[in-house]
Amino acid sequence: MRILYLHQHFSTPGGATATRSFAMARALAARGHAVTVACGGYEGAETGLAGPFQAGRREGAVDAFRVVEFAIPCGNRQRLGARGAAFLRYAARAAGLALRGRFDLVIASSTPLSVALPALLTRHVRALPFVFEIRDPWPELPRAMGIGNPGLWWAMDRLADAACRQASAVIALSEGMAETARTRGARQVAVLPNGCDLGLFGPHVPPWRPEGIPPDAILAVYAGAHGPANGLGQLIEAAAHLRDPRILVLLVGDGAEKPRLRAAAATLPNIRWLDPLPKLRLARLLAGSQIALQCLAPVPAFAEWTSPNKLMDYLAAGLPVIANCGGRAARLLEDGPCGLTTPPGDAAALAAAIGALAADPVRRAALGRAGRAQAERLWDRRLLASRFCDIIEAAA
């Protein structure tokens, strides 16, 4: 089968962002399918391609599949208007590729929601079936955060309705996302969460610490985007509450909020910063850390409508996790247990949880082992990729 996989933010493990689409494309190729991944230039991503762009695109073989990369930069530091323009430019280029190429099925992976446009167009023009993958429910999350306006939300509602109703199957990363798809009229919905790369992350990885981190420091690491949705001001406030000088809070990543956050933490001696790290280096950093931090803004919708990739990396690494959100993430940590949860928006409680784990190495080790065991039992990405392939083949 010839499959066109549309994911604007595609990255190989050489990048510093999520690699779900890389793993799924590789699994489809291993089943004998001819896979073409179409992407843009996402900040922190590495597509595996090199060399100049010709007419705004370049392409080549990556692993066992083909990648077409459009010269459309996009990232969390862009203003909303610039990101929206990048989304629409990608949708237009992807539509041209889909209409001109010889494909049997399209996978449209959002966000952004605009990836549904080329999938819907090719369905109507060429009768190609498509699978719609929901990584973040739009416009539910932007509306919950107050990002955008009623007119934009109305337009996204109509697009999400069409994508869910006309898709041969919908893949959602959480049951909460799946429920939004069913509400919009999806016929076939499967829940397939983010998974763990057990070979890349784990206790077998040689540890690494950045220069200047004392060897006896207790390192609490957050690795991910620094945007409004992440609510990292709570980590700054929590660091201000910590009294143990051995504890260092390390924030790894980039985003629109990072300059403001660094300014707010300028006087705190227990905060450290790193730019985004390639997954291979991040795996070594997690192996050299003691605590992992999962942080989101205190938005109630995040409880069931998010499936953070970083949480899977933490569990695979065998680190105890502290999360400041309820819902699905809290249930994962309670199963084991493999971490602690604190109320959203409560920086003092977050600091207390960090302090409690810092003071108890035996408990840290036990929670970390339970997290790794849960990752092996439930979230092995190879098993989830096999299920993904089954869904795609059935949809065709």
Side-chain angles (χ1 to χ4, degrees):
M1 183 164 55
R2 296 161 298 187
I3 300 172
L4 177 60
Y5 197 151
L6 304 178
H7 183 216
Q8 186 166 354
H9 304 334
F10 167 82
S11 180
T12 69
T17 188
T19 58
R20 176 184 174 97
S21 55
F22 171 83
M24 301 308 170
R26 183 168 58 177
L28 287 166
R31 291 239 185 146
H33 302 297
V35 181
T36 296
V37 173
C39 63
Y42 190 57
E43 184 179 39
E46 288 289 342
T47 64
L49 299 179
F53 288 87
Q54 301 290 337
R57 65 179 268 178
R58 61 184 177 183
E59 62 181 273
V62 174
D63 201 89
F65 50 91
R66 173 183 174 227
V67 173
V68 176
E69 179 185 357
F70 300 115
I72 303 173
C74 185
N76 290 325
R77 288 186 293 182
Q78 289 178 316
R79 293 183 180 275
L80 184 60
R83 292 185 72 193
F87 296 160
L88 293 177
R89 287 176 59 206
Y90 171 80
R93 295 299 301 268
L97 176 64
L99 291 172
R100 290 191 298 269
R102 296 180 61 193
F103 302 106
D104 302 306
L105 179 135
V106 174
I107 302 170
S109 185
S110 93
T111 56
L113 177 60
S114 49
V115 76
L117 291 169
L120 288 165
L121 179 64
T122 52
R123 182 184 184 280
H124 284 282
V125 174
R126 298 186 53 188
L128 283 184
F130 75 92
V131 174
F132 183 45
E133 181 178 50
I134 304 175
R135 296 173 181 240
D136 293 300
W138 283 23
E140 286 86 356
L141 283 184
R143 185 157 45 211
M145 296 178 63
I147 297 175
N149 57 67
L152 178 62
W153 300 332
W154 179 89
M156 287 196 290
D157 271 323
R158 304 290 78 74
L159 179 56
D161 287 345
C164 289
R165 289 171 183 166
Q166 297 185 40
S168 297
V170 174
I171 296 174
L173 269 65
S174 73
E175 188 55 54
M177 296 184 210
E179 187 55 38
T180 68
R182 296 186 188 101
T183 300
R184 294 185 180 280
R187 294 169 294 165
Q188 298 289 332
V189 183
V191 177
L192 197 67
N194 276 318
C196 296
D197 190 327
L198 300 176
L200 180 59
F201 294 92
H204 59 282
V205 176
W208 169 79
R209 285 191 166 200
E211 187 177 351
I213 301 292
D216 61 342
I218 298 168
L219 206 53
V221 175
Y222 168 88
H226 292 41
N230 307 104
L232 298 185
Q234 297 165 93
L235 292 184
I236 306 300
E237 292 181 44
H241 285 285
L242 294 172
R243 295 292 176 259
D244 188 338
R246 299 174 303 155
I247 304 172
L248 292 181
V249 177
L250 176 61
L251 287 83
V252 183
D254 207 350
E257 292 285 288
K258 189 167 184 176
R260 185 188 66 79
L261 292 165
R262 294 198 68 156
T267 61
L268 294 177
N270 57 351
I271 293 278
R272 299 289 188 276
W273 306 87
L274 278 181
D275 290 335
L277 293 175
K279 289 287 187 178
L280 291 170
R281 179 55 65 92
L282 175 62
R284 294 191 62 194
L285 173 64
L286 295 182
S289 303
Q290 283 68 51
I291 299 169
L293 302 173
Q294 167 67 39
C295 187
L296 286 170
V299 177
F302 286 165
E304 302 297 344
W305 286 350
T306 59
S307 180
N309 187 69
K310 65 181 73 67
L311 179 57
M312 294 291 105
D313 293 346
Y314 296 159
L315 294 177
L319 278 178
V321 182
I322 298 174
N324 71 335
C325 49
R328 181 176 181 272
R331 292 193 296 273
L332 291 186
L333 297 183
E334 290 166 1
D335 181 14
C338 45
L340 307 178
T341 59
T342 64
D346 192 335
L350 189 55
I354 295 172
L357 284 190
D360 195 340
V362 174
R363 188 183 187 192
R364 289 201 309 268
L367 293 173
R369 286 192 300 270
R372 176 71 185 190
Q374 184 189 113
E376 293 172 350
R377 185 175 73 252
L378 298 176
W379 315 123
D380 187 337
R381 180 176 276 176
R382 293 167 297 185
L383 300 178
L384 297 176
S386 179
R387 287 178 53 203
F388 183 90
C389 292
D390 292 341
I391 295 166
I392 300 303
E393 290 167 352

